Amino acid sequence: QLLVSVATPGCDGFPSLDSKESYQLSVSEGSMLLSADTVWGALRGLETFSQLVGRDENGMYYINQTEIVDFPRFPHRGLLLDTSRHYLPLRAILETLDVMAYNKFNVFHWHIVDDPSFPYESSTFPELSKQGAFDAVTHTYSASDVRRVLEHARLRGIRVLPEFDTPGHSLSWGPGAPGLLTPCYLGKSPSGTYGPINPILNSTYEFVSSLFKEVSTVFPDFFLHIGGDEVDFTCWKSNPQISAFMKEMGFGEDYKKLESYYIQRLLDIVSSIGKGSIVWQEVFDNGVKVRPDTIIHVWKESSPPYLEELANVTRAGYPALLSAPWYLNRISYGQDWMAAYQVEPLKFEGSPEQKDRVLGGEACMWGEYVDVTNLTPRLWPRAGAVAERLWSNATVRDLQDAYLRLADFRCKLLGRGVQAQPLYTGYCEHEFGG
Amino acid sequence: GCRGYPHIGSSEAYHLTVTEPVAVLKADEVWGALRGLETFSQLVHEDDYGSFLVNESEIDDFPRFAHRGILLDTSRHYLPLKSILKNLDAMAFNKFNVLHWHVVDDQSFPYQSIYFPELSDKGAYSYNHIYTPADVRLVIEYARSRGIRVIPEFDTPGHTQSWGKGQKDLLTPCYNGQQPTGSFGPVNPILNTTYDFMTKFFKEISSVFPDAYIHLGGDEVNFDCWKSNPEVKEFMKKQGFGTDYAKLESYYIQKILDIVSSYNKGYMVWQEVFDNKAQLKPDTVVEVWMGNNYAHELSSVTGAGFTAILAAPWYLDYISYGQDWKKYYSVEPLNFPGSEEQKKLVIGGEACLWGEFVDATNLTPRLWPRASAGRNVTNLQDAYERLSNHRCRMLRRGIAAEPVFVGYCAHEARG
């Protein structure tokens, strides 16, 4: 019997960025003890324990004598799923959370809405999904769906970080919220198409305030990801009211200033609701005045190189997350897990204080070419390389050794019913669909 | 006749007339009827009230190319039967008519031979990673009833590491100076025992697989081991091959080709066999797979009077980010310098899904709908819409085809 001892009792709360996930595991003849400060550490230890148990040819379960003291290198170890480019049925999300737990991932970054579709059923603005989902009946997440995800995640020590990306990436918001998006112009008349959220109207900020109030009560985590990436200025530039506003505000021709004006107000709204913000790197790059505890999410591989960006962000005093080299949706032929594994997030010039500001990172599975038919094999075991990079000590980087362990882990995943794809030629005792 | 097997000369033409009160499907052969039934099934659509409808139609259809294949590799990774059968279904939905079964290779030998059971006993990944004679029969019959030919490939003399485990002295022992290193190279072309074995082995293959053709491989033979072996070097001298090991390779291939034709089978070979100037029978089918300048190779092969099939631009195992179906779609196989007669010798092509990084966990989404794009060239936007619809159709039919781009299907994939 495995004895589990948790110093700080309590299983009813939610994990947070500050949760302690350390644990100790002692296995010897006659005694097996797992001890941790918190239940979150116990969960990590239980996962390790489950991976240490083997089965011999006679069907007997066994475990080697072992002494383990373990704790994560980075506190934020996330996986991003995109449910806008393609809807993902609930079971796909829940299964992904299971496998995240096997890999000790602890943040589910839910990029829930974007240009193509708005599957989130908002209680304040039900028209958003009614008009914006691919199909309002079959391709949405109800309040109870969301609660299921939150609880399924919580029980695995996984934080759910929702992202409502604005002012760009928001075309699907338009149909259900008339007047929210900027009408583009062709000369003097509206062209009929729309662009990013309209930053010059008071109604915009009332809307956004109400929506984020709702989001902040639905999602218990302290942090909200508010996006802020890839804003295309073409539509703003074409709109005469916006041009007038630019003049009024003295922004000249610099639309980055308009973008920053919007983001600033949004960040203020979010902090007035008592939440912390995570933003994509453009917000920092564009010189927006953000609060010192705003987390900057580095996603661009170059211009500047991501290590340089991490250095800049942390030197300016901000905490950072790294995703740039971990866009798992960017598939290529061969063992691309190796490149992900060899990333060293702290390989930049900086003080120890700076390095401490790198909170971790996230593997991203953007959804342009991904849905439930190929999500699991595309995620696993490749994401496992990122998981280890974020949990284990920086010295754990031998590729040969990692290959053997990851290949073995992949077979274990198959045994647990996960449709994880192969790393290279070979076999598992029990194949998928065998 | 529904009892025969499809072959390269089978007629797949059909005529479909949909009017009131009956629709009529006519075809010369049952294979054409199968293709017409597939088309008919795709014409049926559901309206918003759940009624099934077909538009009045008149269709006269036949394939441009008679050989439309998919290559599956069951050596780099074992593929459970269910996965192979599922893909035969998907092939039928896409009117593919050849399963090129690359059944064994270096890594494993899953084919359970009746004459040489040691081959899979010692060469398969494990006892659970084997195709029994019953399994093989099931694949052949499942394919046949979908109008799909099964062409097995037993690739030699290279790509044969796994054969050596269960058949001693089949592979060439490599040498370091005067000492054997303990490792082995391609099939040993200088021993009579090699040809005795192959004679018996291909006798079995010829009777197990009913198709008129067997694929004999012949690609990527690495000469290093042969060059290191003193007996092989001696043989080269005796034969007057000098240091041209391509001659030794051709010597071997020649004998295998003769063995196989003695069983009244035609053969398919990878392009090296032609490139290295082996003496091929006129009905040999040469498979062009090398990526650089395959148009030139098609010219050469057909110029020499041989039938060709094209695989080079359709290596679907070479995944990349984005809508790569477009480049598969844009391939025009007959875009090579040559006469009308030469162009007629290109009988089709194959989409290849080599198995280094593929097994049953990711085969279906990796193959479909990308393989569906090996189609006729019309225009890309129209193709995109039809491909996306077809992808949703495959989902409805239980094929986990991956998305083409952003969007959705009314009926998403089930668990």
Side-chain angles (χ1 to χ4, degrees):
Chain A
Q1 252 192 22
L2 175 69
L3 240 53
V4 182
S5 160
V6 177
T8 316
C11 294
D12 296 332
F14 284 90
S16 73
L17 180 59
D18 312 309
S19 296
K20 289 178 68 101
E21 296 173 279
S22 53
Y23 66 91
Q24 271 182 258
L25 184 60
S26 288
V27 176
S28 60
E29 186 113 46
S31 130
M32 298 196 292
L33 177 63
L34 167 62
S35 54
D37 280 338
T38 68
V39 67
W40 317 117
L43 284 176
R44 305 300 169 235
L46 279 170
E47 180 54 44
T48 296
F49 178 77
S50 76
Q51 293 186 25
L52 291 173
V53 176
R55 205 164 182 200
D56 67 19
E57 324 85 60
N58 304 313
M60 291 277 283
Y61 292 101
Y62 67 88
I63 182 167
N64 286 350
Q65 179 151 333
T66 222
E67 279 297 319
I68 295 177
V69 173
D70 198 13
F71 54 91
R73 181 180 177 200
F74 294 103
H76 184 120
R77 305 179 306 282
L79 188 69
L80 178 151
L81 286 186
D82 167 1
T83 56
S84 174
R85 274 61 177 262
H86 285 97
Y87 178 77
L88 291 175
L90 207 56
R91 62 184 162 79
I93 299 178
L94 300 180
E95 191 203 55
T96 302
L97 289 168
D98 287 346
V99 192
M100 281 173 66
Y102 304 156
N103 284 267
K104 298 193 175 70
F105 275 110
N106 66 357
V107 177
F108 168 41
H109 176 163
W110 194 349
H111 187 90
I112 186 168
V113 298
D114 201 297
D115 284 328
S117 76
F118 196 105
Y120 171 74
E121 280 182 28
S122 161
S123 54
T124 322
F125 302 106
E127 288 297 297
L128 284 172
S129 61
K130 281 217 181 89
Q131 307 287 337
F134 280 137
D135 180 305
V137 174
T138 54
H139 289 62
T140 58
Y141 302 108
S142 64
S144 78
D145 290 336
V146 173
R147 279 195 298 272
R148 261 192 87 183
V149 170
L150 290 168
E151 182 61 5
H152 199 90
R154 189 188 77 83
L155 291 172
R156 287 153 183 73
I158 297 171
R159 299 164 51 203
V160 178
L161 174 69
E163 178 185 351
F164 286 83
D165 192 354
T166 66
H169 285 280
S170 49
L171 284 178
S172 68
W173 301 48
L180 179 68
L181 302 183
T182 309
C184 313
Y185 273 66
L186 210 47
K188 300 241 188 268
S189 15
S191 66
T193 59
Y194 295 87
I197 287 188
N198 195 332
I200 75 175
L201 304 175
N202 284 333
S203 52
T204 290
Y205 299 98
E206 279 154 30
F207 173 88
V208 151
S209 184
S210 299
L211 181 65
F212 276 89
K213 263 204 194 89
E214 172 190 319
V215 169
S216 72
T217 54
V218 170
F219 293 91
D221 199 77
F222 174 72
F223 285 96
L224 295 180
H225 201 303
I226 62 167
D229 61 316
E230 299 184 309
V231 186
D232 183 348
F233 297 148
T234 321
C235 185
W236 283 353
K237 285 180 179 166
S238 75
N239 182 300
Q241 284 107 46
I242 292 197
S243 308
F245 186 82
M246 290 285 289
K247 224 183 280 181
E248 239 180 79
M249 301 294 290
F251 289 161
E253 289 299 305
D254 190 356
Y255 282 81
K256 287 209 177 118
K257 295 205 163 100
L258 182 59
E259 184 188 358
S260 302
Y261 167 83
Y262 167 85
I263 288 281
Q264 199 78 72
R265 289 189 68 167
L266 179 56
L267 287 169
D268 291 341
I269 288 170
V270 173
S271 65
S272 73
I273 312 175
K275 294 284 191 182
S277 290
I278 307 186
V279 292
W280 295 111
Q281 68 181 77
E282 285 96 320
V283 174
F284 168 80
D285 296 343
N286 293 348
V288 178
K289 285 192 255 308
V290 302
R291 287 159 57 103
D293 53 0
T294 310
I295 302 179
I296 313 295
H297 199 160
V298 176
W299 69 272
K300 293 181 173 183
E301 282 210 88
S302 52
S303 346
Y306 67 86
L307 287 172
E308 198 180 306
E309 178 77 359
L310 282 177
N312 295 341
V313 167
T314 53
R315 195 184 317 115
Y318 299 105
L321 290 175
L322 178 63
S323 281
W326 290 326
Y327 268 35
L328 298 185
N329 54 309
R330 298 204 141 254
I331 56 170
S332 58
Y333 180 72
Q335 295 200 57
D336 59 356
W337 70 271
M338 292 185 171
Y341 190 76
Q342 294 183 293
V343 169
E344 178 33 66
L346 301 188
K347 201 168 167 189
F348 58 89
E349 294 283 309
S351 67
E353 288 72 40
Q354 269 179 265
K355 308 263 170 133
D356 280 346
R357 290 188 192 116
V358 177
L359 302 176
E362 297 187 349
C364 297
M365 186 53 77
W366 294 104
E368 284 85 349
Y369 304 100
V370 175
D371 75 0
V372 72
T373 56
N374 60 358
L375 175 72
T376 302
R378 193 160 293 192
L379 263 182
W380 316 104
R382 288 157 78 232
V386 181
E388 178 156 300
R389 181 53 49 233
L390 290 173
W391 175 281
S392 297
N393 193 284
T395 55
V396 178
R397 39 194 349 116
D398 182 81
L399 268 178
Q400 252 58 284
D401 176 69
Y403 173 81
L404 293 171
R405 288 183 294 106
L406 193 57
D408 183 71
F409 181 62
R410 184 255 171 177
C411 290
K412 260 205 181 71
L413 289 179
L414 284 195
R416 293 181 179 187
V418 179
Q419 199 168 327
Q421 67 178 16
L423 282 183
Y424 191 48
T425 63
Y427 70 104
C428 294
E429 233 185 274
H430 302 284
E431 299 292 358
F432 180 78
Chain B
C2 294
R3 290 186 192 284
Y5 286 90
H7 58 93
I8 191 67
S10 295
S11 165
E12 294 176 280
Y14 65 91
H15 190 94
L16 178 63
T17 311
V18 181
T19 54
E20 298 230 75
V22 285
V24 179
L25 170 62
K26 282 195 192 150
D28 281 337
E29 297 182 24
V30 68
W31 319 116
L34 285 177
R35 305 301 170 231
L37 280 170
E38 179 53 44
T39 296
F40 181 73
S41 76
Q42 293 189 18
L43 292 174
V44 177
H45 56 275
E46 204 176 342
D47 71 11
D48 293 331
Y49 303 98
S51 300
F52 292 98
L53 311 166
V54 197
N55 286 353
E56 191 160 329
S57 329
E58 180 93 26
I59 295 177
D60 211 349
D61 197 13
F62 56 91
R64 181 181 180 203
F65 293 107
H67 183 119
R68 306 178 306 282
I70 297 279
L71 179 151
L72 289 185
D73 167 2
T74 56
S75 173
R76 276 60 179 265
H77 284 96
Y78 178 78
L79 293 177
L81 219 50
K82 209 166 66 170
S83 155
I84 299 178
L85 300 182
K86 198 69 159 176
N87 274 282
L88 285 168
D89 283 341
M91 283 170 66
F93 302 155
N94 287 269
K95 295 192 179 71
F96 276 99
N97 66 356
V98 176
L99 171 64
H100 174 167
W101 191 353
H102 187 92
V103 51
V104 300
D105 202 298
D106 283 329
Q107 285 83 356
S108 75
F109 196 105
Y111 173 78
Q112 188 172 59
S113 160
I114 302 154
Y115 288 153
F116 301 102
E118 295 277 279
L119 286 171
S120 60
D121 275 355
K122 301 263 162 55
Y125 280 136
S126 85
Y127 289 129
N128 293 326
H129 293 77
I130 283 185
Y131 302 109
T132 62
D135 292 336
V136 173
R137 277 196 297 275
L138 177 53
V139 170
I140 293 172
E141 179 57 17
Y142 201 88
R144 189 190 75 82
S145 42
R146 286 154 184 73
I148 297 171
R149 300 165 56 197
V150 177
I151 299 182
E153 178 184 350
F154 287 90
D155 191 356
T156 69
H159 286 280
T160 46
Q161 289 295 298
S162 66
W163 299 53
K165 307 229 168 82
Q167 187 67 20
K168 289 182 76 51
D169 304 327
L170 180 66
L171 303 183
T172 313
C174 311
Y175 274 69
N176 197 351
Q178 297 299 320
Q179 297 297 338
T181 63
S183 61
F184 298 87
V187 171
N188 195 333
I190 74 175
L191 302 177
N192 286 334
T193 49
T194 292
Y195 302 104
D196 293 339
F197 167 81
M198 291 295 174
T199 300
K200 200 156 181 212
F201 184 75
F202 279 104
K203 178 168 189 207
E204 173 183 324
I205 301 307
S206 304
S207 68
V208 168
F209 293 91
D211 197 80
Y213 281 82
I214 299 180
H215 199 303
L216 301 178
D219 62 313
E220 299 183 310
V221 185
N222 187 319
F223 296 150
D224 293 345
C225 187
W226 282 350
K227 286 180 181 168
S228 75
N229 183 301
E231 277 131 39
V232 174
K233 284 194 280 212
E234 185 59 45
F235 186 84
M236 288 285 286
K237 223 185 282 180
K238 275 214 308 251
Q239 295 284 323
F241 290 158
T243 49
D244 189 356
Y245 282 80
K247 293 206 166 98
L248 180 59
E249 184 188 0
S250 300
Y251 167 87
Y252 165 85
I253 285 285
Q254 207 72 74
K255 296 184 76 138
I256 301 302
L257 297 179
D258 292 343
I259 288 169
V260 171
S261 28
S262 75
Y263 297 123
N264 282 324
K265 292 288 191 183
Y267 38 76
M268 289 178 51
V269 291
W270 296 109
Q271 68 180 74
E272 286 98 316
V273 175
F274 167 82
D275 295 342
N276 293 345
K277 308 191 188 340
Q279 307 274 46
L280 304 173
K281 285 196 358 208
D283 64 345
T284 308
V285 179
V286 178
E287 186 157 10
V288 175
W289 71 272
M290 291 178 158
N292 53 330
N293 213 347
Y294 62 81
H296 181 254
E297 181 76 2
L298 282 175
S299 285
S300 307
V301 170
T302 54
F306 294 107
T307 321
I309 61 175
L310 181 61
W314 291 315
Y315 266 37
L316 299 189
D317 55 315
Y318 285 158
I319 58 172
S320 57
Y321 180 67
Q323 293 196 55
D324 62 355
W325 69 272
K326 293 183 183 175
K327 73 173 182 223
Y328 301 132
Y329 193 79
S330 310
V331 171
E332 177 36 72
L334 301 189
N335 239 1
F336 65 90
S339 65
E340 277 301 301
E341 281 66 46
Q342 273 180 262
K343 309 263 166 137
K344 290 207 187 89
L345 291 174
V346 178
I347 56 170
E350 296 188 341
C352 299
L353 197 66
W354 294 104
E356 284 84 346
F357 304 100
V358 175
D359 76 359
T361 57
N362 60 359
L363 186 147
T364 301
R366 191 160 294 191
L367 195 51
W368 310 102
R370 287 156 82 230
S372 311
R375 293 250 141 279
N376 264 337
V377 184
T378 49
N379 87 63
L380 269 176
Q381 182 51 38
D382 170 68
Y384 171 80
E385 274 153 30
R386 289 184 298 105
L387 191 64
S388 304
N389 281 336
H390 187 54
R391 183 258 169 172
C392 289
R393 179 183 297 121
M394 286 197 276
L395 281 198
R396 285 197 302 275
R397 295 180 182 190
I399 305 292
E402 65 176 9
V404 179
F405 191 48
V406 170
Y408 75 108
C409 295
H411 306 273
E412 298 288 3
R414 285 181 295 275

